[in-house]
Amino acid sequence: MTATATPPPDAAPAEPLPASVTAVVGLLVLFEVTSGFLQVGLAPLLPDLADHLGMGSAALNWVVSVQLLAAAVCVPLFGRLGDLYGHRRMLRVALALIAAGTLVVALAPDYPTLLAGRVLQGPIAALLPLEIALVRDRLPVADARRAIARLVGALTLGAMAGGVVMGLVDSAFGNLRLTLLVPAALAVICVPVSFVAVPESRERAGGRVDWAGVVLLGGAMVALLGGVSGAEGGSWGSVRVLGPVALGLVLLAVWVLVELRASEPLVDVRALAARTTAPFYCAAFLFGVFYFGSQAPNSTFYAADPGATGYGFGLSALSISLVLLPGAVGSVVGSLATAAVARRFGYRPTLMAAFGLVALTFLQFAFLHEEIWQMAAGSAFTGLGIGLALGAMPTVIVEASDPSRTGIAAALYNNVKTLGGAVAGGVFAALLGAFLSPSTGEPGEGGYTALWLAASAAAVIALVATAFSRRREA
């Protein structure tokens, strides 16, 4: 069983602690339901969005990837700003940006504008770490665990509802723009609600924001993903690929040096390398690879016309959402069951089982995808594994960190996870692009098989990393 750090006794609080978990969690649950709704609700609409804006299937991966790229920068930045100026304050800023971005996505007349809206949605990944920091600041450890479990459960519940509701709305309206305005309205409502009954964190960190780290990390990610995007035709050895990738690696190396020397770094690079936490951060990165990276390809596979491509099922947005529903249900069940399972078996065995289950189901996708029931059944078990991992990883990482820097610790976990998704989006887009069919201009079936095998390999490596993690000394 993974041992966790015991926080030192707190000084006398400036105000009484709340009487219950509900008093602190309160409306935070609504924000996480909305977050899950926004993150997954777009998935069944991606094929229609591609037709509406004239995009190819490979380009759809960038709709997911660019949002994760923005999140990779926003998560540590908002976490640090929350530690300095208040997590509730930054939660409100994040919600306002998300609402603006969701409106831009709904009204986007072209592909570049759509990507701009997705960039504005980047802070959506910062919501959970900000909320975790709030509950850790306001509640004792045992109550904080229950609060975190509720928030993760709300996130997965919103994800489950998002796909189905958006499919139903699309079927009822028959208009993609009107359908996309539904999540936009939900996001806008959250902004004024955030000014009601949400407590502010009591502790404040000292220091300043590492703006050099923000610029270098953002530049490195843009260069790396820009280089990978140039390989969509399979030209991995070309200058347009190697040049940006080399620049990205140089910027990343400089960023690491800057972070190591900074007194208040944007990202605690040393924590990433610590033997007690590094395997879990590695697992979080790989989780992002198979979780976020597979969303757009799975939707386009379901929507593909088998008569033209030789694979797929030609499903509508509503049908796609229903096929994805078993996975969403499995994710909710897994996340809500995490605390009970971990109490019995320990967090490390729970994570290992979760990653093993995910690896097996992606392997099944690679070899058994001719029937809808095969995909739906595999999706249910994939969701179960994902839910267990989502419930276990933040608790393990946050409790192993300094209580005075919980915002940074939670942000680092989400940052590594979303960074994995951003990288996967670019790599998977290039992978599908390398298998384009000359006759249809769409990826061949081999591209999807290779993608699912890569996702399975990522889950296996995450399992191995978790297995070799060291226990924290008491």
Side-chain angles (χ1 to χ4, degrees):
M1 180 175 179
T2 305
T4 56
T6 301
D10 293 329
E15 55 185 279
L17 287 172
S20 68
V21 173
T22 303
V24 171
V25 175
L27 295 172
L28 301 182
V29 168
L30 170 63
F31 304 149
E32 280 310 303
V33 169
T34 302
S35 174
F37 191 101
L38 295 179
Q39 291 183 57
V40 178
L42 188 64
L45 301 176
L46 286 174
D48 290 345
L49 195 59
D51 292 339
H52 180 68
L53 297 179
M55 298 181 291
S57 296
L60 273 181
N61 287 272
W62 290 102
V63 176
V64 176
S65 188
V66 74
Q67 187 266 331
L68 295 171
L69 173 63
V73 178
C74 288
V75 169
L77 176 60
F78 275 65
R80 180 58 180 153
L81 290 171
D83 286 341
L84 290 173
Y85 304 113
H87 301 102
R88 181 182 64 180
R89 178 178 298 177
M90 295 314 302
L91 185 67
R92 291 169 174 170
V93 174
L95 289 169
L97 289 173
I98 294 163
T102 309
L103 280 170
V104 171
V105 168
L107 302 175
D110 50 41
Y111 185 51
T113 306
L114 173 67
L115 294 183
R118 294 291 285 169
V119 169
L120 284 173
Q121 289 180 317
I124 197 169
L127 295 182
L128 185 59
L130 288 170
E131 291 159 358
I132 288 175
L134 270 174
V135 300
R136 280 295 302 264
D137 178 86
R138 307 285 302 195
L139 293 170
V141 172
D143 289 341
R145 285 182 175 179
R146 293 199 299 273
I148 292 171
R150 289 189 189 182
L151 292 172
V152 173
L155 175 65
T156 53
L157 181 63
M160 181 177 67
V164 176
V165 171
M166 292 298 283
L168 289 170
V169 171
D170 182 67
S171 179
F173 289 173
N175 183 297
L176 182 63
R177 195 176 299 280
L178 288 178
T179 301
L180 291 173
L181 283 172
V182 171
L186 185 59
V188 169
I189 289 171
C190 285
V191 178
V193 169
S194 67
F195 286 83
V196 180
V198 176
E200 180 62 281
S201 51
R202 298 166 297 148
E203 300 295 330
R204 294 286 187 279
R208 58 183 180 82
V209 177
D210 175 22
W211 292 110
V214 173
V215 173
L216 286 169
L217 179 60
M221 291 302 99
V222 170
L224 286 172
L225 295 180
V228 170
S229 70
E232 289 184 9
S235 54
W236 288 92
S238 65
V239 174
R240 68 175 182 175
V241 174
L242 297 181
V245 167
L247 174 62
L249 291 175
V250 169
L251 290 175
L252 200 59
V254 173
W255 173 75
V256 170
L257 293 176
V258 169
E259 296 305 281
L260 288 174
R261 295 177 180 178
S263 57
E264 296 289 343
L266 176 72
V267 174
D268 191 350
V269 176
R270 289 185 175 86
L272 285 174
R275 297 189 67 178
T276 54
T277 55
F280 296 113
Y281 283 124
C282 175
F285 177 86
L286 293 165
F287 176 91
V289 168
F290 61 72
Y291 177 53
F292 293 113
S294 64
Q295 289 181 4
N298 283 357
S299 293
T300 56
F301 183 87
Y302 290 134
D305 180 2
T309 63
Y311 63 83
F313 308 104
L315 300 183
S316 65
L318 176 58
S319 298
I320 292 173
S321 68
L322 293 176
V323 174
L324 294 175
L325 181 59
V329 173
S331 183
V332 171
V333 171
S335 63
L336 295 178
T338 299
V341 174
R343 276 197 303 269
R344 183 174 179 83
F345 300 105
Y347 279 98
R348 184 165 65 171
T350 299
L351 279 175
M352 291 171 63
F355 292 137
L357 187 59
V358 170
L360 288 174
T361 54
F362 274 115
L363 196 62
Q364 178 235 296
F365 289 157
F367 296 105
L368 295 173
H369 51 256
E370 292 80 14
E371 303 290 340
I372 292 180
W373 71 264
Q374 295 171 341
M375 301 293 290
S379 178
F381 287 104
T382 304
L384 181 62
I386 285 172
L388 287 169
L390 279 173
M393 280 191 293
T395 297
V396 170
I397 292 173
V398 169
E399 290 190 358
S401 306
D402 184 344
S404 68
R405 292 176 65 83
T406 55
I408 288 293
L412 182 56
Y413 154 67
N414 252 25
N415 189 59
V416 170
K417 181 178 68 177
T418 52
L419 182 59
V423 170
V427 171
F428 286 2
L431 190 60
L432 290 177
F435 285 85
L436 285 181
S437 169
S439 59
T440 65
E442 291 296 317
E445 185 176 358
Y448 288 97
T449 300
L451 186 150
W452 288 322
L453 288 174
S456 179
V460 169
I461 298 171
L463 188 158
V464 173
T466 304
F468 282 92
S469 63
R470 293 185 59 186
R471 297 184 181 186
R472 184 182 178 93
E473 299 295 330

